[in-house]
Amino acid sequence: MDIESYSQEKTGVLVRAWGRVKALPDKLKTKVVSTCKSIKKLGQDDPRRITHSLKVGLALTLVSLLYYLRPLYDGFGVSGMWAVLTVVVVFEFTVGGTLSKSLNRGFATLLAGALGLGADYFASLFGKKGEPIVLGILVFLLGGAATFSRFFPRIKQRYDYGVLIFILTFSLVAVSGDRVDELVILAYQRLSTIIMGGATCMIISIFICPVWAGEDLHKAVASNLEKLASYLEGFGNVYFQSSEDDGSNVISPKDGKTLPKGYKSILNSKNSEDSLANFARWEPGHGRFRLRHPWKCYLKIGTLARQCAYQIEAINGCIRSDIQTSEEFKNKISEPCKRMSSECGKALKALSTSIKTMKDPSPANSHIENSKAAMKDLKFALKAASLEDSDDFLAIVPAATVASILVEIVNCVEKISEAVNELSLQAHFSKTVEPTVSPEKSQQQQQLLHRGIIQPVFEADDDENNGNVVITIHEISTDSPENQKKPTKE
Amino acid sequence: MDIESYSQEKTGVLVRAWGRVKALPDKLKTKVVSTCKSIKKLGQDDPRRITHSLKVGLALTLVSLLYYLRPLYDGFGVSGMWAVLTVVVVFEFTVGGTLSKSLNRGFATLLAGALGLGADYFASLFGKKGEPIVLGILVFLLGGAATFSRFFPRIKQRYDYGVLIFILTFSLVAVSGDRVDELVILAYQRLSTIIMGGATCMIISIFICPVWAGEDLHKAVASNLEKLASYLEGFGNVYFQSSEDDGSNVISPKDGKTLPKGYKSILNSKNSEDSLANFARWEPGHGRFRLRHPWKCYLKIGTLARQCAYQIEAINGCIRSDIQTSEEFKNKISEPCKRMSSECGKALKALSTSIKTMKDPSPANSHIENSKAAMKDLKFALKAASLEDSDDFLAIVPAATVASILVEIVNCVEKISEAVNELSLQAHFSKTVEPTVSPEKSQQQQQLLHRGIIQPVFEADDDENNGNVVITIHEISTDSPENQKKPTKE
């Protein structure tokens, strides 16, 4: 019995093991397939990643062969290693990053090498016994002081890598213990190989499919404004539409009427913007950007965009509120609120386009004026409103909150517009000439909008509806027959 | 005349130059003094920066002397350099950072060294002419692939440095071009010196004034909750007090009644929390933290704290609103709003204390219950309210918004409490036994609070008033005589 159960157990174990072995190829296959998929996705998300990898491989191969084919460059000897080391450590994704690290490395090596030689000479004055003690003290003091200096925000931001290389080179040179004249040759060899490695990186990163940190920052800030715009353009219709449709204040995902969540990525964008701006300062003039492009202005716009995103996050909280909102009250403020939100969205989109195309941001001004006029209308509507029906205060709180935060958003968008204007002045954006729009016409258009008609289809810039929000206009105002000429976009 | 003016000009230039030279020592002195001051401040802000600098100096000196006193360690030869290099590059501020880099460096060197030897052997099969071509292709392929792998978020987060060292070592070993048996000796020497450097760093960083990333994360999350608490505890009294005092809704900075701005630092805390959590995973158990402490829970609490900070940012916008708020309406909702805000603050303070002391977070529950009860009271008050006076809707919007966002904050604080509870379960916080508070008493206290009496002085935890917010209670309710026993804190 025991033996039988033992043999049965043994068979069971074998069967299970065999099952596992049989399943192994399938498992492996799934794993490989999923890894391949994620590699493909990573490459598709940003094809520059692939070119970057190829560029690093190229730089590495060039410098390695230089090192391998020693007979050709016998002057460098074993120091050729430093060229390989430099390429691996210095080659960054963006041109600015590569330049910042290369230059930091070069100058730090030069400075620390000279100081190290001085320290060596100074220590040799103390005789054979005193030398290691003096060198030890010097390395301790300079290493500690340089490490401490890395805590200074200014140094941390720009010269962190340089300080690191300074400590490294100083220690290496100071304690290498050779005679000073030999050291000079060694230092010369090292410096020249480091320069060779750094130059290879800089040339490849600048001339082969360059990734400019400045351009990335420029695009990131513009796209952040666009994300905010997409939300705001959609918001008014989604929040106030549902009440007109079926009386429920639940945002339904039907008909593609969900609000884009793109703005969420703005909430934590500070660090990446800071580091891009930091790298951008190291870059030479390229494309549309001069050497001293006002990168700081982008950071200011970024900060204001984050402020706006915080407000949107608060509005999102209100939408999810479980308090039943009074439909009467909502209808009363619906018109100016919708206008505030959509005009803010249009203004942001115009500002984003202005940044992208580097053209005068003045087209946004009329939208901002419109949103401010809508804000006044809202105040007027609120002043005129009264509790005619059975509604209590509780029922008006969510809508009132939305209105109040929209007012904050309007103020915020105005500030963003000022910041973009400052950028356009400092970066000399080109002025756009608009001869077709006479002052009277623009005045009239503004007045029309002031009277409460939403005309997204007839706006000058027609490409504003191709974001991920489909604005559906259900209420076609009858007092302007033009509105029936074109079908509304669905 | 010309000569005279020329000589006058010359004298003028000389006088100005002399003035500048005379001013130089003063300028230099001011510069030195200001630099010294900023150094002192940097050290005072976090004295661990000074100890860290000394630790790096010490490690560097130890390893440098090892390299200098070559006769003692003749086996290492010029490879001793790698020990210095390792110390400089690997020594980070936190133990976790140092361990992560040391281990990454060690294992990557081992793996890449072995692969490099293999590549060397493989390439030698192709003869003298084919060798450099095969090696070049191998370096290109592996360098490119490894660089691409650094874009994977998981690898970037934990093994970025390891991949860097992998590329470095592989290229160096593959192209060093010596015979394989010589290379093995070289690789052994390098690996042993790297291990020596890494071990020095690890030992010094763990045993001399260690800075644990895990503990920093723990403290940072607790202090973030406390910052939110400080704001919320102060908010109710500051916002609703002024209306009772002088009828203006402007927040005046008199009497120290400004609200603490500490919460602003939470808005952009994501990156630092992420990197601390990442380093914490590499740390061994230390102090109150086991090896597998649930660091992920801290990130969850951090995210919720940021959510709460966004809401506070929105509330701050309302406070600054220029709309004249109706005092009648404000008074109607003042009591429940004040209670919501202060109870949320107390709950957050209790949760923060619970994290700090690693004790059961249940003391916060009663505050959360109180805040939810106050929320219900608010809804009740809003339902009951009516527009008796000449007030219009506009005048109630700011206060209604504040109330509405406070409701969101209550919900957010509840979620934070759940997250802290999860942390307390996973990290096995010690249970506190509270024999003195019987269920009836706690029920009674809650009921009392439910009736609208603010008793910050009589609360169990007395240290909650020593933040930077002074809560002044002007309205002593007369229905409980106990309130007159003690003077209120000013």
Coordinates of all heavy atoms in Angstrom, one line a residue, chain A residues 75-76 79-80 82 109-110 113-114 117 169 173 180-196:
Chain A
G75 N 50.4 56.8 -29.7 CA 50.7 57.8 -28.8 C 49.7 57.7 -27.5 O 50.1 58.1 -26.4
F76 N 48.6 57.2 -27.7 CA 47.6 57.2 -26.6 C 47.8 56.0 -25.7 O 47.4 56.1 -24.5 CB 46.2 57.2 -27.2 CG 45.9 58.4 -28.0 CD1 45.6 58.3 -29.4 CD2 46.0 59.7 -27.4 CE1 45.4 59.5 -30.1 CE2 45.7 60.8 -28.2 CZ 45.4 60.7 -29.5
S79 N 45.6 54.8 -22.4 CA 44.7 55.9 -22.1 C 43.5 55.9 -23.0 O 42.5 56.6 -22.7 CB 45.4 57.3 -22.2 OG 46.4 57.4 -21.2
G80 N 43.6 55.2 -24.1 CA 42.5 55.1 -25.1 C 41.3 54.7 -24.4 O 40.1 55.0 -24.8
W82 N 40.0 55.8 -21.8 CA 39.3 56.9 -21.3 C 38.3 57.4 -22.4 O 37.3 58.0 -22.1 CB 40.2 58.0 -20.9 CG 40.9 57.7 -19.6 CD1 42.1 57.2 -19.5 CD2 40.3 57.8 -18.3 NE1 42.4 56.9 -18.2 CE2 41.3 57.3 -17.4 CE3 39.1 58.2 -17.8 CZ2 41.1 57.2 -16.0 CZ3 38.9 58.2 -16.4 CH2 39.9 57.7 -15.6
T109 N 38.2 67.9 -15.8 CA 39.4 67.1 -15.9 C 40.6 68.1 -16.0 O 41.7 67.8 -15.3 CB 39.4 66.2 -17.2 OG1 38.2 65.5 -17.1 CG2 40.6 65.3 -17.2
L110 N 40.5 69.1 -16.8 CA 41.6 70.1 -17.0 C 42.0 70.7 -15.6 O 43.1 70.7 -15.2 CB 41.2 71.1 -18.0 CG 42.3 72.0 -18.6 CD1 43.2 71.2 -19.4 CD2 41.7 73.1 -19.4
G113 N 43.1 68.1 -13.0 CA 44.5 67.6 -13.3 C 45.5 68.6 -12.9 O 46.5 68.2 -12.3
A114 N 45.3 69.9 -13.2 CA 46.3 70.9 -12.8 C 46.4 71.0 -11.3 O 47.5 71.0 -10.8 CB 45.9 72.3 -13.4
L117 N 48.3 68.0 -10.0 CA 49.8 68.1 -10.2 C 50.4 69.0 -9.1 O 51.4 68.7 -8.5 CB 50.1 68.6 -11.6 CG 49.9 67.7 -12.7 CD1 50.1 68.4 -14.0 CD2 50.7 66.5 -12.6
T169 N 39.2 63.1 -10.9 CA 40.5 63.3 -11.5 C 41.5 63.8 -10.5 O 42.6 63.3 -10.5 CB 40.3 64.4 -12.6 OG1 39.2 64.0 -13.4 CG2 41.6 64.5 -13.4
V173 N 45.0 61.8 -10.0 CA 46.2 62.4 -10.3 C 47.1 62.6 -9.0 O 48.3 62.3 -9.0 CB 46.0 63.8 -11.0 CG1 47.4 64.5 -11.1 CG2 45.4 63.6 -12.3
V180 N 56.4 64.0 -11.3 CA 55.5 65.0 -11.9 C 55.6 65.1 -13.4 O 54.7 65.2 -14.1 CB 55.8 66.4 -11.3 CG1 55.0 67.5 -12.0 CG2 55.4 66.4 -9.8
D181 N 56.9 65.0 -14.0 CA 57.0 65.1 -15.4 C 56.4 63.9 -16.1 O 55.8 64.1 -17.2 CB 58.5 65.2 -15.8 CG 59.4 64.2 -15.1 OD1 58.9 63.6 -14.2 OD2 60.5 64.0 -15.5
E182 N 56.4 62.7 -15.5 CA 55.7 61.6 -16.1 C 54.2 61.8 -16.1 O 53.5 61.5 -17.0 CB 56.0 60.3 -15.3 CG 57.2 59.6 -15.9 CD 57.5 58.3 -15.1 OE1 56.6 57.7 -14.5 OE2 58.7 58.0 -14.9
L183 N 53.8 62.4 -14.9 CA 52.4 62.7 -14.8 C 51.8 63.6 -15.8 O 50.7 63.4 -16.3 CB 52.1 63.3 -13.4 CG 51.8 62.3 -12.3 CD1 51.5 63.1 -11.0 CD2 50.6 61.5 -12.6
V184 N 52.7 64.6 -16.2 CA 52.2 65.6 -17.2 C 51.9 64.9 -18.5 O 50.8 65.1 -19.1 CB 53.3 66.7 -17.4 CG1 52.9 67.5 -18.6 CG2 53.4 67.5 -16.1
I185 N 52.7 63.9 -18.9 CA 52.5 63.2 -20.1 C 51.2 62.4 -20.0 O 50.3 62.4 -20.9 CB 53.7 62.2 -20.4 CG1 54.9 63.1 -20.6 CG2 53.4 61.4 -21.6 CD1 56.2 62.2 -20.7
L186 N 51.0 61.7 -18.8 CA 49.9 60.9 -18.6 C 48.6 61.8 -18.7 O 47.6 61.4 -19.3 CB 50.0 60.3 -17.2 CG 49.1 59.1 -16.9 CD1 49.6 57.9 -17.7 CD2 49.0 58.8 -15.4
A187 N 48.7 62.9 -18.0 CA 47.5 63.8 -17.9 C 47.2 64.3 -19.3 O 46.0 64.4 -19.7 CB 47.8 65.0 -17.0
Y188 N 48.2 64.6 -20.1 CA 48.0 65.1 -21.5 C 47.3 64.0 -22.3 O 46.3 64.3 -23.0 CB 49.3 65.5 -22.1 CG 49.3 65.5 -23.6 CD1 48.6 66.6 -24.3 CD2 49.8 64.5 -24.4 CE1 48.5 66.6 -25.6 CE2 49.7 64.6 -25.8 CZ 49.1 65.6 -26.4 OH 48.9 65.7 -27.8
Q189 N 47.8 62.7 -22.1 CA 47.2 61.6 -22.9 C 45.7 61.5 -22.5 O 44.8 61.3 -23.4 CB 47.9 60.3 -22.6 CG 49.3 60.3 -23.3 CD 50.0 59.0 -23.0 OE1 49.6 58.2 -22.1 NE2 51.0 58.7 -23.8
R190 N 45.5 61.5 -21.2 CA 44.1 61.3 -20.7 C 43.2 62.4 -21.3 O 42.1 62.1 -21.7 CB 44.1 61.3 -19.2 CG 44.2 59.9 -18.7 CD 44.0 59.7 -17.3 NE 44.8 58.5 -16.9 CZ 45.0 58.2 -15.7 NH1 44.6 58.9 -14.7 NH2 45.7 57.1 -15.4
L191 N 43.7 63.6 -21.1 CA 42.8 64.8 -21.5 C 42.5 64.7 -23.0 O 41.4 64.9 -23.4 CB 43.6 66.1 -21.2 CG 42.7 67.3 -21.3 CD1 41.6 67.2 -20.2 CD2 43.5 68.6 -21.1
S192 N 43.6 64.3 -23.8 CA 43.3 64.3 -25.2 C 42.4 63.2 -25.6 O 41.5 63.3 -26.5 CB 44.6 64.1 -26.0 OG 45.3 63.0 -25.5
T193 N 42.4 62.0 -24.9 CA 41.5 60.9 -25.2 C 40.1 61.3 -24.8 O 39.1 61.0 -25.5 CB 41.9 59.6 -24.6 OG1 42.3 59.8 -23.3 CG2 43.0 58.9 -25.4
I194 N 40.0 62.0 -23.6 CA 38.7 62.4 -23.2 C 38.1 63.4 -24.2 O 36.9 63.3 -24.5 CB 38.8 63.1 -21.8 CG1 39.0 61.9 -20.7 CG2 37.5 63.9 -21.4 CD1 39.1 62.4 -19.3
I195 N 38.9 64.3 -24.6 CA 38.5 65.3 -25.6 C 38.0 64.6 -26.9 O 37.0 64.9 -27.5 CB 39.5 66.3 -26.0 CG1 39.7 67.3 -24.8 CG2 39.2 67.1 -27.2 CD1 40.9 68.2 -24.9
M196 N 38.8 63.5 -27.3 CA 38.4 62.8 -28.5 C 37.0 62.1 -28.3 O 36.2 62.2 -29.1 CB 39.5 61.8 -28.7 CG 39.4 61.2 -30.1 SD 40.8 60.1 -30.4 CE 42.1 61.3 -30.3

